[in-house]
Amino acid sequence: SIMASKNGKLEIQLKECRHLPKSPEQTESFLIRLTFNGKNIGESSKASERSEDGGSILFDFVASVELPCSSQKDISEIIKSPLVVALCEVLPKDKKSKEEKTVVLCTATLDLYPIIQSKISFEDTVVLYGTDGHLNSDLPEIDVSVKVSGVLSKGIVEDGTLIRLRVDSLYSVPESWVPTEPCAHNFDASVRLPILESEETPVVVTKGVLTKAQEADSQILSTHWKWPNLPSDFGQALMIATSPNEPCALEDEDGALNSKEDIAFRSNAQQQRPRVTWNTEERLWLDKSTSKELCDNLAACPVVPVEVTRISLPSQTGKAKGKEEEVNHSFHGIAYVDLSALLFPGVRMIRGAYPIEIFNEVDFTSKTCCKSSHFAGLVSKSSLAMLSKSKGGKRTGSTLKVSTTDLPASDGTQMGGNAPDNSESQEYVAARSYIVIELHFSKPLIPKRSEAVLAQRIIEYIPPRHMPPKRPGGVDGALLNYKASVASIVKQLLIHFRKMNSEKLEGADSNLKSQFLYSLNSSGKYYAFKEDLKRTIVKLVREKYISESKKFQDYTSLQTFIAELYAYLIEEMRNGTDAVLALENPPPEAPSYTTNDLLKMFADEAAIYQDFNQADLFHRQRLVEDDSLAAHWYDYAVHNFWCNNSEKAEQCLKQALGLDYCHVPSLLLYGICCALDGRLEEGERVLEMATTKDPESVVSWVISGLFYEIAGKPMNQNQCLKMATSFGEYQQQKTVILPKRLKGKEPSFVSSAITNRSALLQKGSDEKDISSTSTATTKQDVSQTVVNEDSVPVNVEAQTSITSSDQLVTNLPQGESVKMDAAELSSVKEAGSSTHNLLQSSKELLPSNTAPTKSVFLITADYLLDINALKFAEMALAHECGTSTSSPSSSFIISKAKYLLNLKEYVKAEETLMELTKKDIQNPTVWSTLGHVYYLSEKYQQAQKCYERALSLVTDCDDIRCVYLRLGDIYLKYNEYNNAKRTFLMAVKLSPSAFTWRGVGIACYKLNELENALDALSESNMLNNTDPIVWAYLTLVCVKTHRVAEAEHAFKFMKLSNLMDDDLNQEVEEAFMKIS
């Protein structure tokens, strides 16, 4: 590498050269010549001894050169010029010539950039390319070893930045430009970067060639960027091996020509029209101070000029001696490149197509803040020369004698009043010419904050939450304390017994028990153990029998209670003793039905019925069971958003981020809360963390863009929306779409059970009831349930013992009972009794990835509508409306209707969807959404027709579970119990839950199918034993089936659950009074 001193020494060693061409001469010799930056740095001696195979020569040549490295300009010279290795053939001396002649056969280039990366030495094998056609397919290659005498200090390397300025091609050139052989013109392009104000010299890329589109695409050189300022006869040696010219999708570019119409135009121009090709890479090295200056200058004026011009080449016919060929500059055009994207944190590259405009001095100065144009003077001079020649002016040598009235003024007009001739530049505009530029930085100008820094900032806003050890309370806690006390006493008794009888354990002594008891009483340990156990027994009795409403009327009832209590305590004491003394492992516990994912599903279904109090209960119960997961707090925050309780939602999000600051859904929703509350700095940090953790999520990028729109940062907004569009086009299937609230799709495990919706509707009418084949119906008492008002737990141990039966009856439209076949019966039974299997597929109940036909704004709008973030949803829909060039799509209209529905503007939502039903009549989501509008506006008959229309179509709607539940509820309202039963049965097969089984049970009860009603209500009660409606109908069923004890138990828990339906409450009380 380059030393930190003024000069560094570079040593190059050339070793074996293989696949050498064979010369027709009998005596042949070769040499290697090294050049760097146009200077010859060494030449090997002649070598002619080939290896045994005749294709290799060992040169073993070493050359060294001192390279200045005192400034960033010196380092730029090192990295932008390659080391040129030329293989030369030494020709025999002629009789007339005194010196030997050499002919360059082939050349190779070696990139010296690795020595700037602090590499002391490196080796490479370079391929030597030539232009002669007699070379074989095996090109010559030579081994090169590079060493340096010093290393550039780490600080300089790490602080420096490498800029790769890549000029691709000028496309859609004017019609008057026709490719010729040989080329009559060259084309130059200049780019002026705002690095140093004192340096007015721009980066000039020369030797652009006008070629046909087919010829340019077929060239091998188009696959890699080329070195600048090298002779064109180098051939493929012009390629930079480490800089491939990788194709870039037109939609991902940063330029001005990336709309849908422009893409079609550009594709045609690149495939059919001639182009000017440079395909050249220029390199610049910036130190830390210059990088900062570039950043500051771009912040002040981000537009950079790119000028192009055509240069006439000398004619091939030759001129008389003493005369110079005139070089004319014409067709002066300019493109304005906006580099503001480089000021976004983490951006290292921009690439785009920029249209060529007519050069105007006023526009040039105002847009770019540059003092002068690079080509304007040359073009003006050429124009004046042509004007002087046409007027008969005289010229001597290269000096023109022109009137001062023809000189150009600073504003672009001529001082003599004659306007400049812009007809040539007008051809650029007429042909819609554009130039493709790429700017690549080795590291971003503004580094992106690391994940650790963002995490620290979030911790400053939201301190981490340290979870205390979870301690069970209530009956479970008292029972655990009792068993722990028993286990402790048993261990102490064993220790005391072993110490007292350590020598007598082998023998059989009948007095051993008496001696042991005497020892306990005499030492006082018996009394201590009893007092310790008494406290746990008192606490257990209080917790377990606190809801005992009976009073002991006589001595017999008291003795009965004491006997039951004694048996219970002895049984639990035996369990605690077995835990200490048992040698085998205890049996596994039965799986719980009321797990967190099921509680989430219950909460969603409660929200479908607009019962937000019941949904709140399920969310709180979910947190009681496990409050250590951020997802649980996030779901509760979304629920509070729907309840318009943003303050409580923000508290839940702080709990979620305190547990896991990397939880992306919580980060997004908390960022939205910060934006709505005006805390922009905090929200920016949070959303930046979300895009850092999940950089491929279009939802995260779009929400960040909308946030920056609120914050008034258009540059950041455009960059975020660009990132979202990029990922939306190519990685939409991998995009993280967050869980929706009121929607669900059919899980995979149900697909085998229900493959056709009409299966339940086409059963034969001659089949008989299956009730005679029922296995076991319930006749046991319903065990007690204790409801805690604070936590509202769903007590698994206190669930009713009314178990589900293996029977389930479906009805024909005429109302006849039919027998289900074995496969259907097994699938429905498995769906009901094995509900815990649903947890394995709980993620499948959430909506799958959005179809790729949706735009990124619609994807984000759907998510925002699902969490009821209406302000952001409105902004996303506005962007979708602004970016769409065609008529609004069905997805957009549906999202707009959902937005109006969330605002409770039912009339506008109805009008919006009614227009869509005429255009997209076969879209089930349109009909289901219109049904939701009617349902929430209490127009149940219209809602029923829309839901039935949605279910009659071939494809399922997005929210089919919601449609089933609401349609079944409408059928119950209008006493269509057969239809209600069928609808709820289809919902059971889709996703069995407490609400779906409750609907089946109510419909069966109304149809007087009491056994089926008991089975369905038992399934619902098993999943959720706090639903007062289920307890009410269980009471009615037990009354009609003369199950007095079960009816009393169900009636008591209905009263404890606080039934809100007055009519149902009155009906239950009247029925219960008949048996009481």
Side-chain angles (χ1 to χ4, degrees), residues 207-229:
K207 300 180 182 179
V209 180
L210 179 64
T211 57
K212 296 180 180 179
Q214 296 79 5
E215 295 177 359
D217 293 333
S218 62
Q219 290 180 3
I220 301 178
L221 294 177
S222 62
T223 59
H224 285 73
W225 299 101
K226 297 188 298 184
W227 291 104
N229 304 323

Short mmCIF file of all heavy atoms in Angstrom, two decimals, residues 207-229:
data_model
loop_
_atom_site.label_atom_id
_atom_site.label_comp_id
_atom_site.label_asym_id
_atom_site.label_seq_id
_atom_site.Cartn_x
_atom_site.Cartn_y
_atom_site.Cartn_z
N LYS A 207 -13.91 10.20 -25.68
CA LYS A 207 -13.90 9.08 -26.64
C LYS A 207 -15.19 8.28 -26.63
O LYS A 207 -15.19 7.05 -26.68
CB LYS A 207 -12.71 8.15 -26.39
CG LYS A 207 -11.36 8.83 -26.52
CD LYS A 207 -10.23 7.87 -26.27
CE LYS A 207 -8.89 8.57 -26.36
NZ LYS A 207 -7.76 7.65 -26.09
N GLY A 208 -16.32 8.98 -26.53
CA GLY A 208 -17.58 8.30 -26.75
C GLY A 208 -17.79 8.01 -28.22
O GLY A 208 -17.45 8.81 -29.10
N VAL A 209 -18.34 6.83 -28.52
CA VAL A 209 -18.45 6.37 -29.91
C VAL A 209 -19.92 6.17 -30.24
O VAL A 209 -20.68 5.58 -29.45
CB VAL A 209 -17.68 5.05 -30.12
CG1 VAL A 209 -17.80 4.59 -31.55
CG2 VAL A 209 -16.22 5.24 -29.73
N LEU A 210 -20.35 6.67 -31.39
CA LEU A 210 -21.71 6.49 -31.87
C LEU A 210 -21.82 5.14 -32.58
O LEU A 210 -21.12 4.90 -33.57
CB LEU A 210 -22.08 7.63 -32.83
CG LEU A 210 -23.48 7.57 -33.44
CD1 LEU A 210 -24.55 7.69 -32.35
CD2 LEU A 210 -23.65 8.69 -34.48
N THR A 211 -22.65 4.26 -32.06
CA THR A 211 -22.81 2.92 -32.62
C THR A 211 -24.29 2.58 -32.71
O THR A 211 -25.13 3.23 -32.09
CB THR A 211 -22.10 1.86 -31.75
OG1 THR A 211 -22.64 1.92 -30.41
CG2 THR A 211 -20.61 2.08 -31.72
N LYS A 212 -24.56 1.55 -33.45
CA LYS A 212 -25.93 1.04 -33.54
C LYS A 212 -26.24 0.24 -32.27
O LYS A 212 -25.35 -0.25 -31.59
CB LYS A 212 -26.09 0.16 -34.77
CG LYS A 212 -25.90 0.91 -36.08
CD LYS A 212 -26.08 -0.02 -37.26
CE LYS A 212 -25.88 0.74 -38.58
NZ LYS A 212 -26.04 -0.15 -39.75
N ALA A 213 -27.52 0.10 -32.00
CA ALA A 213 -27.93 -0.57 -30.77
C ALA A 213 -27.47 -2.02 -30.75
O ALA A 213 -26.98 -2.53 -29.74
CB ALA A 213 -29.45 -0.48 -30.60
N GLN A 214 -27.61 -2.72 -31.89
CA GLN A 214 -27.22 -4.13 -31.92
C GLN A 214 -25.72 -4.30 -31.74
O GLN A 214 -25.27 -5.23 -31.06
CB GLN A 214 -27.68 -4.77 -33.24
CG GLN A 214 -29.18 -4.82 -33.43
CD GLN A 214 -29.77 -3.50 -33.86
OE1 GLN A 214 -29.03 -2.54 -34.13
NE2 GLN A 214 -31.10 -3.42 -33.95
N GLU A 215 -24.95 -3.40 -32.32
CA GLU A 215 -23.50 -3.51 -32.20
C GLU A 215 -23.05 -3.22 -30.77
O GLU A 215 -22.15 -3.87 -30.24
CB GLU A 215 -22.83 -2.54 -33.17
CG GLU A 215 -23.07 -2.87 -34.63
CD GLU A 215 -22.45 -1.85 -35.55
OE1 GLU A 215 -21.84 -0.88 -35.02
OE2 GLU A 215 -22.55 -2.00 -36.78
N ALA A 216 -23.68 -2.25 -30.12
CA ALA A 216 -23.29 -1.91 -28.75
C ALA A 216 -23.60 -3.04 -27.78
O ALA A 216 -22.83 -3.34 -26.86
CB ALA A 216 -24.00 -0.63 -28.30
N ASP A 217 -24.73 -3.70 -27.97
CA ASP A 217 -25.09 -4.80 -27.06
C ASP A 217 -24.24 -6.03 -27.30
O ASP A 217 -24.04 -6.83 -26.37
CB ASP A 217 -26.57 -5.15 -27.24
CG ASP A 217 -27.48 -4.03 -26.75
OD1 ASP A 217 -27.04 -3.27 -25.88
OD2 ASP A 217 -28.62 -3.93 -27.26
N SER A 218 -23.74 -6.23 -28.51
CA SER A 218 -22.95 -7.42 -28.81
C SER A 218 -21.50 -7.29 -28.40
O SER A 218 -20.78 -8.29 -28.38
CB SER A 218 -23.04 -7.73 -30.31
OG SER A 218 -22.48 -6.65 -31.07
N GLN A 219 -21.04 -6.12 -28.06
CA GLN A 219 -19.64 -5.94 -27.69
C GLN A 219 -19.36 -6.58 -26.34
O GLN A 219 -20.15 -6.47 -25.40
CB GLN A 219 -19.29 -4.46 -27.65
CG GLN A 219 -19.26 -3.78 -29.01
CD GLN A 219 -18.92 -2.30 -28.90
OE1 GLN A 219 -18.65 -1.81 -27.82
NE2 GLN A 219 -18.92 -1.61 -30.03
N ILE A 220 -18.19 -7.23 -26.25
CA ILE A 220 -17.79 -7.87 -25.00
C ILE A 220 -17.49 -6.80 -23.95
O ILE A 220 -17.69 -7.00 -22.75
CB ILE A 220 -16.56 -8.77 -25.23
CG1 ILE A 220 -16.89 -9.86 -26.26
CG2 ILE A 220 -16.08 -9.39 -23.92
CD1 ILE A 220 -15.74 -10.76 -26.59
N LEU A 221 -17.04 -5.63 -24.39
CA LEU A 221 -16.68 -4.57 -23.46
C LEU A 221 -17.89 -4.03 -22.69
O LEU A 221 -17.73 -3.34 -21.69
CB LEU A 221 -16.00 -3.43 -24.20
CG LEU A 221 -14.64 -3.74 -24.82
CD1 LEU A 221 -14.12 -2.53 -25.57
CD2 LEU A 221 -13.64 -4.15 -23.74
N SER A 222 -19.11 -4.30 -23.17
CA SER A 222 -20.29 -3.78 -22.48
C SER A 222 -20.57 -4.51 -21.18
O SER A 222 -21.40 -4.07 -20.39
CB SER A 222 -21.52 -3.90 -23.40
OG SER A 222 -21.78 -5.27 -23.71
N THR A 223 -19.90 -5.63 -20.91
CA THR A 223 -20.15 -6.39 -19.68
C THR A 223 -19.40 -5.82 -18.48
O THR A 223 -19.72 -6.15 -17.34
CB THR A 223 -19.74 -7.86 -19.87
OG1 THR A 223 -18.35 -7.92 -20.21
CG2 THR A 223 -20.56 -8.49 -20.98
N HIS A 224 -18.37 -5.01 -18.72
CA HIS A 224 -17.59 -4.40 -17.64
C HIS A 224 -17.37 -2.93 -17.95
O HIS A 224 -17.41 -2.50 -19.12
CB HIS A 224 -16.22 -5.09 -17.48
CG HIS A 224 -16.30 -6.44 -16.81
ND1 HIS A 224 -16.80 -7.55 -17.46
CD2 HIS A 224 -15.96 -6.85 -15.55
CE1 HIS A 224 -16.75 -8.59 -16.65
NE2 HIS A 224 -16.25 -8.19 -15.49
N TRP A 225 -17.15 -2.16 -16.91
CA TRP A 225 -16.78 -0.77 -17.08
C TRP A 225 -15.34 -0.69 -17.57
O TRP A 225 -14.52 -1.56 -17.28
CB TRP A 225 -16.94 0.00 -15.77
CG TRP A 225 -18.35 0.02 -15.26
CD1 TRP A 225 -18.87 -0.75 -14.28
CD2 TRP A 225 -19.42 0.83 -15.73
NE1 TRP A 225 -20.20 -0.48 -14.08
CE2 TRP A 225 -20.56 0.51 -14.96
CE3 TRP A 225 -19.53 1.81 -16.71
CZ2 TRP A 225 -21.80 1.12 -15.16
CZ3 TRP A 225 -20.75 2.44 -16.90
CH2 TRP A 225 -21.86 2.10 -16.13
N LYS A 226 -15.03 0.39 -18.29
CA LYS A 226 -13.71 0.52 -18.92
C LYS A 226 -12.86 1.54 -18.18
O LYS A 226 -13.36 2.46 -17.54
CB LYS A 226 -13.87 0.96 -20.39
CG LYS A 226 -14.61 -0.04 -21.26
CD LYS A 226 -14.56 0.36 -22.72
CE LYS A 226 -15.21 1.70 -22.96
NZ LYS A 226 -15.24 2.05 -24.39
N TRP A 227 -11.55 1.34 -18.32
CA TRP A 227 -10.60 2.32 -17.80
C TRP A 227 -10.63 3.56 -18.68
O TRP A 227 -10.73 3.48 -19.90
CB TRP A 227 -9.18 1.75 -17.79
CG TRP A 227 -8.94 0.65 -16.81
CD1 TRP A 227 -8.85 -0.68 -17.08
CD2 TRP A 227 -8.74 0.79 -15.41
NE1 TRP A 227 -8.60 -1.39 -15.94
CE2 TRP A 227 -8.53 -0.49 -14.88
CE3 TRP A 227 -8.72 1.88 -14.55
CZ2 TRP A 227 -8.31 -0.72 -13.54
CZ3 TRP A 227 -8.50 1.67 -13.20
CH2 TRP A 227 -8.29 0.38 -12.70
N PRO A 228 -10.48 4.75 -18.08
CA PRO A 228 -10.43 5.96 -18.90
C PRO A 228 -9.01 6.22 -19.41
O PRO A 228 -8.02 5.73 -18.87
CB PRO A 228 -10.87 7.05 -17.92
CG PRO A 228 -10.41 6.56 -16.59
CD PRO A 228 -10.51 5.05 -16.64
N ASN A 229 -8.94 7.01 -20.46
CA ASN A 229 -7.66 7.54 -20.96
C ASN A 229 -6.67 6.45 -21.36
O ASN A 229 -5.47 6.56 -21.15
CB ASN A 229 -7.01 8.47 -19.93
CG ASN A 229 -7.92 9.61 -19.52
OD1 ASN A 229 -8.65 10.14 -20.35
ND2 ASN A 229 -7.90 9.95 -18.24
#
